[in-house]
Amino acid sequence: MSAARYSAALMIGYAPFDPSDAWLLQAVLYAGGLTEGAELRDVIGLGDGIRDALFTAEELRGGFARLAAAGFVRAEAGRYFVVGEARGLAKKEGLSLAAHGEEIAAFLAASNYRGTDPEAPDPDLSDEKIAAATRTYLAPLLEKKGDVN
């Protein structure tokens, strides 16, 4: 399924989740969210690896707020953990990234969560903290690029 079709499919009937929420949950899963917890820079890096794009601050703030309110992600001591029913979403051997993303999107669509975004965003996800985590993730990549030139 193309990225455009995937995003369009997510938008239909998947409220209250946004299309990027499945991508975010997938990144948390891959960044250690089932075990030691995922650091923000690792979530950003895995998100880049999955979709070749960086999360926006709104995708991170809104996505974490919705996933936490639904009981699928918990933040603790600067790390994000996959909790509750979402723990069953561990990647199965032989499943492609795209197929796993579709499985996660279907899980979110079928969830019983029908709430709305929390009123106040997580103060721990300030623009400055997100920018710092993004710089930390990108620094080694930019360094390698400099070595090549």
Side-chain angles (χ1 to χ4, degrees):
M1 179 182 290
S2 73
R5 275 187 56 211
Y6 174 67
S7 291
L10 284 176
M11 294 180 80
I12 300 169
Y14 284 43
F17 294 102
D18 283 349
S20 62
D21 294 349
W23 173 34
L24 179 59
L25 183 53
Q26 187 175 20
V28 175
L29 281 161
Y30 292 2
L34 287 172
T35 54
E36 71 274 1
E39 292 186 15
L40 184 58
R41 72 161 188 264
D42 296 329
V43 171
I44 291 168
L46 270 291
D48 185 23
I50 293 166
R51 285 219 187 146
D52 199 23
L54 297 176
F55 291 106
T56 66
E58 247 346 279
E59 287 170 331
L60 289 168
R61 272 194 289 273
F64 277 127
R66 284 183 292 278
L67 293 169
F72 300 144
V73 171
R74 181 185 81 240
E76 184 179 307
R79 293 180 177 267
Y80 296 91
F81 296 85
V82 176
V83 296
E85 294 175 359
R87 291 189 60 78
L89 292 170
K91 187 173 182 291
K92 295 161 190 72
E93 187 148 345
L95 195 62
S96 71
L97 284 175
H100 192 220
E102 290 171 11
E103 179 179 281
I104 293 168
F107 167 83
L108 292 178
S111 78
N112 290 326
Y113 176 67
R114 296 292 174 249
T116 59
D117 289 345
E119 297 278 329
D122 184 345
D124 286 337
L125 281 177
S126 66
D127 286 341
E128 294 78 22
K129 183 172 183 173
I130 291 168
T134 301
R135 281 191 305 275
T136 302
Y137 159 66
L138 290 174
L141 301 174
L142 295 174
E143 222 173 83
K144 285 181 186 177
K145 185 177 180 182
D147 292 343
V148 173
N149 293 333

